[in-house]
Every structure is written in C-alpha cells, then in structure tokens.
Amino acid sequence: MGDHMYLNEKQQTAVACDDGAIFLLSGAGTGKTRVIVSKVKSILENFDTNSKILILSFTRRSVFDLKTKLQKTSDNLFITTFHGLCYSMISTDFDVKIFDSNFRSSLNLSDQEILQISAKKRLLDFSNITTKPFYEYSSFLAKNGLIDYTDLEILTLKKLKYSSSNDDESLRFDYIFIDEFQDTSWVQFEILKCLFLKHTKIFAVGDPDQSIYSFRGTGERVIETYIKTFKSSTLLLDLNYRCASKILLHANLLIRHNRSKFRKQLSGVKKDEGVVKCFLVKKSDIEKSLVILNIRKCIIEGFQQKDIAVIFRNHKDAVLIKQGLFDQYLSDVQLLSMHQSKGLEFKVVFIIGIKHRLFESKKVLYEERRLLFVAMTRAMDRLYIVGHVRDSKVSRFLKECKFKYETLD
C-alpha cells in the first residue's frame, strides 16, 4: 500500500475508480506507469489475489519496466506486448518466422512501399492493394515461409474470432490494461474486443498528443471508438513531473495548435524554470559545432553524458552530429530519432534539424507537430533546439513555440 502515499489526487482517483471500462487521458510525464502499477497492486491487495490480469504495452523496454516494478506480485499477472501476445498464440499452431531487417536487403522495395502495404493491412483494408509492390512483397513472404507483424496480428484475430480459442482458459482475463493506447492499430483493437468478456474490466491509458505512428493506422479515432464501444468513463492526468516550467510552457504553446477532442494543458510541479535556448543556423556544420560546444559546456557544469540526448527527425540530419560526437569521444551521449525517443527522458535534450517545410495535408502537419512535442517533453532540465534558416524562412513550429531566437552565421 506504500505506493499509494505518493500519488497525487488525480492519480489516486484513477487507482480507486472501479468502473468497468476506463480511459485515462495521461499527458507526457504525468506518471501513468505509477498509476498502472499502483492500480494492479490495489486490485491484488484489496479485491482478489487470484485475479487474472493482462497488461499490454508497445515496446519491450516498457514491458521490462513494468515487469521490474511488478515482479513477484502475482502468478496470474501477464505483461507483454501485443506482438508478444500474438506470437504466443500463433506459435502453438505453426513455426513462426517473422520478416525483419535481416531479410530486407533481399527485397527490391523501398521502406515507404512496405510501410504503405502494412498500413493498409492494419486498417483491415485490402482494397486497391493488388499492386506490383504488394504482389512482390506477398510473394517474397510466401516463398520464404515468412509473415510480417501485421500478418501475425491478423492471424491472431482470425484465431480468436473463428476458432474455439475464445474458450481457452488462458485467454480469460479479469482485468486488461493497455498502455500507450493511442498507438493501438485497428487490428489490435479488434483483438482487444475478442479478449473482452462480460466480467472483464478494462483500463486504457493514452495521449493523442503523443500519437506519432499514424502510418500504422493509429490515432485519436481509435480512442474515441474505444470509449464508445466499451462505454468507458474518462479520467485525466495533467500534472507533469518531468519538465522544468519553461520547457513545459513552450511545449504547451506548440501542441495547442493541434485541434483535438481531448483538449488539455499540462501544468508542472517543478519550481525550477530550467533552460530553453533556440538557435538558428544556415549550415549543418555550424549546427554540429554549436551542439558539440554546448554538450561540452553541460558536461563541465556537472551533467553526465548518459543524461544528454541529441534528437533528430531525419537520419540524414544526424550524420555530421554522429561523426562529431565520435571525434570528441562523446560516445555515451544518446543519439535518437524522434520516434526512438518516445517514452524516454533526459536531463538535457538537443533537438536538431528543425527546418521550414510545406505540409501536404493537415494530417501530416499534426503528426509532425506531435513528433516535435514528444521530443521536447523528453527534456527534464535543459532544452536546446536548432532551427535551420532557408530563404529567410524558419519552421512554423518554432514560431508557434514562441522561442526567442539566437541567430548564428
């Protein structure tokens, strides 16, 4: 019960709520993992120690974190990813061989073409995909006895819907928790519906502002559908424990430009304002020198290399920085894409390569804005952003953040 002493009022409400279906709208850094852990412990301590609980998360890292915090809690507690769950079900039927990067070089298709095929499949939409890339991809998988992760999900869904597996006692759960629900695809949502029984209580945690995998068919609409399907109540966590106040101010200014049915504004508990600096450069070599110099300053001021991250949008923007870090023996500084940074936090964050661009649709605009918001909210104490000037133009996102610029020639 000791964990509950450290919960704020809204976290306590989420832990105590006994509604059959709950959606917890949890902003960046608001302690969602603590709520999940506390709620699971509360169920096992106060209700039924034999309750069968499934926790689904989206990365092996988050699964490991949850397992560490809930170790030895119960023999009836199952913590895995959606793909881990699907694999455990399908591997009992045949030897599963997953298409991964080891096979990528043998296939004459671009990453974008493969993403488009997977996105269509995840939407359970097989119309208009009898294209040459789809035929080549499908033939390659069949010839090599492979399935991809989307196939794995679809096979699981078919097994749940059309076989006696729904009578399988191992799949009958009293409670289902889903972390990072905004990343749930439509296939995964259908799997969830199959696992939901009359007595099952369901608890989903997510944040539309951190939905950054729209190419997988995820987004805000799946949250709306969840609430409607399960007649879910909605609770809110909006007190941020991670970011210094200045960082949070600029992040809020940015994300408010995305219109959402799940409107919220994060407030912070940290009294320290932190450091936020935005630099404008015209050349990538200036960006590299600037970042390396400021990393060195941070280290001199007492920050460790492992507490520093450099986050980029496109891999080509990271080439010079990567070489610079290597040359300066800064091998412990984390170099991550915006997608890779999701779920992590660092005392010092540098975001590089922010350029002016035109967006082909509102969907893409909103996604790119969410990506920058996710990157910004990884920072705990210091945030440095480097924007590029093109024909006297800077990224609209930097203007939306209302940064004070320092221009370097």
Side-chain angles (χ1 to χ4, degrees):
M1 295 296 291
D3 282 349
H4 307 308
M5 294 172 60
Y6 301 98
L7 299 175
N8 66 40
E9 185 176 346
K10 290 184 178 179
Q11 290 172 333
Q12 289 176 27
T13 298
V15 170
C17 184
D18 194 37
D19 291 354
I22 299 168
F23 175 68
L24 182 63
L25 178 58
S26 177
T30 57
K32 64 181 178 63
T33 302
R34 173 166 290 191
V35 168
I36 292 173
V37 170
S38 297
K39 193 169 184 70
V40 169
K41 289 183 177 180
S42 176
I43 289 167
L44 295 173
E45 291 171 5
N46 300 324
F47 295 97
D48 185 0
T49 56
N50 295 317
S51 292
K52 195 169 179 183
I53 301 173
L54 172 66
I55 304 179
L56 294 169
S57 194
F58 280 82
T59 65
R60 293 175 183 174
R61 183 181 66 241
S62 59
V63 165
F64 176 80
D65 183 39
L66 286 164
K67 283 184 175 180
T68 301
K69 291 173 178 174
L70 286 167
Q71 60 182 342
K72 299 180 182 179
T73 303
S74 170
D75 293 333
N76 289 324
L77 178 60
F78 303 88
I79 307 173
T80 185
T81 61
F82 261 107
H83 290 152
L85 176 69
C86 294
Y87 185 89
S88 67
M89 289 185 61
I90 300 303
S91 60
T92 61
D93 299 334
F94 61 89
D95 183 25
V96 177
K97 288 174 62 180
I98 299 291
F99 173 80
D100 58 22
S101 57
N102 295 322
F103 300 97
R104 180 67 188 83
S105 59
S106 304
L107 192 58
N108 190 30
L109 291 175
S110 69
D111 291 339
Q112 186 62 31
E113 286 173 318
I114 294 175
L115 279 175
Q116 288 173 348
I117 292 168
S118 295
K120 273 276 190 179
K121 289 162 69 175
R122 282 191 176 96
L123 288 168
L124 296 176
D125 180 4
F126 294 91
S127 61
N128 301 320
I129 55 174
T130 55
T131 59
K132 184 177 179 181
F134 179 73
Y135 177 78
E136 182 179 340
Y137 181 69
S138 300
S139 299
F140 179 84
L141 295 184
K143 180 181 178 180
N144 292 278
L146 299 169
I147 62 173
D148 61 20
Y149 283 110
T150 308
D151 294 326
L152 184 66
E153 293 173 0
I154 292 172
L155 287 169
T156 301
L157 179 59
K158 288 180 177 178
K159 183 173 182 177
L160 286 168
K161 278 190 170 182
Y162 305 117
S163 76
S164 58
S165 60
N166 52 3
D167 296 325
D168 187 345
E169 189 62 33
S170 68
L171 297 173
R172 299 176 69 86
F173 297 100
D174 300 300
Y175 296 87
I176 299 177
F177 290 77
I178 313 98
D179 193 12
E180 302 287 0
F181 189 78
Q182 75 279 350
D183 296 331
T184 303
S185 71
W186 290 109
V187 183
Q188 292 168 344
F189 183 70
E190 290 298 320
I191 291 172
L192 187 62
K193 284 164 61 178
C194 291
L195 293 173
F196 184 79
L197 305 174
K198 286 184 178 180
H199 74 283
T200 306
K201 292 190 174 183
I202 190 166
F203 186 89
V205 183
D207 180 11
D209 291 340
Q210 297 185 77
S211 176
I212 57 174
Y213 297 102
S214 63
F215 58 84
R216 296 180 182 174
T218 66
E220 187 169 305
R221 195 158 64 89
V222 76
I223 297 175
E224 296 173 14
T225 306
Y226 166 90
I227 292 171
K228 182 178 179 180
T229 300
F230 296 108
K231 297 179 174 58
S232 162
S233 56
T234 301
L235 303 175
L236 172 67
L237 297 183
D238 56 2
L239 190 59
N240 177 284
Y241 290 88
R242 177 186 300 148
C243 305
S245 60
K246 277 188 176 180
I247 297 170
L248 210 54
L249 169 67
H250 293 291
N252 278 328
L253 287 170
L254 173 69
I255 203 61
R256 74 179 185 181
H257 289 271
N258 275 12
R259 293 183 180 179
S260 171
K261 292 183 179 179
F262 300 93
R263 176 66 62 190
K264 66 181 183 306
Q265 174 151 321
L266 296 174
S267 56
V269 298
K270 284 189 172 181
K271 295 181 180 179
D272 183 15
E273 286 190 345
V275 173
V276 175
K277 291 186 178 181
C278 181
F279 302 96
L280 296 180
V281 300
K282 294 182 179 179
K283 297 180 180 179
S284 295
D285 56 344
I286 298 176
E287 177 181 64
K288 181 192 77 171
S289 300
L290 173 69
V291 170
I292 297 298
L293 174 64
N294 280 279
I295 287 176
R296 283 290 182 198
K297 286 182 179 178
C298 289
I299 292 171
I300 290 171
E301 291 169 7
F303 291 98
Q304 297 183 42
Q305 289 191 38
K306 66 180 180 64
D307 295 326
I308 303 173
V310 180
I311 300 176
F312 56 88
R313 174 62 182 97
N314 299 304
H315 284 273
K316 63 182 180 180
D317 294 326
V319 174
L320 284 177
I321 297 293
K322 184 176 182 180
Q323 185 62 49
L325 293 173
F326 178 80
D327 292 341
Q328 294 294 318
Y329 303 100
L330 297 170
S331 56
D332 293 332
V333 171
Q334 297 287 309
L335 185 61
L336 305 162
S337 71
M338 290 181 175
H339 286 97
Q340 290 170 332
S341 73
K342 179 81 177 297
L344 302 177
E345 61 182 23
F346 302 91
K347 292 181 179 179
V348 180
V349 167
F350 292 81
I351 303 176
I352 63 171
I354 306 300
K355 303 179 178 71
H356 168 75
R357 60 173 285 197
L358 299 176
F359 300 97
E360 58 268 34
S361 67
K362 183 188 289 186
K363 180 180 178 181
V364 175
L365 169 64
Y366 278 26
E367 178 96 344
E368 291 298 320
R369 191 179 280 123
R370 288 192 297 266
L371 272 166
L372 181 55
F373 174 79
V374 166
M376 290 172 67
T377 53
R378 302 310 95 197
M380 301 168 69
D381 301 320
R382 295 189 181 186
L383 174 63
Y384 300 85
I385 293 187
V386 185
H388 287 230
V389 181
R390 284 182 173 176
D391 300 325
S392 302
K393 295 179 180 179
V394 299
S395 167
R396 64 184 293 166
F397 298 148
L398 300 185
K399 296 177 182 178
E400 291 170 359
C401 289
K402 297 186 178 179
F403 290 125
K404 293 181 179 178
Y405 309 133
E406 183 177 337
T407 304
L408 302 176
D409 294 322

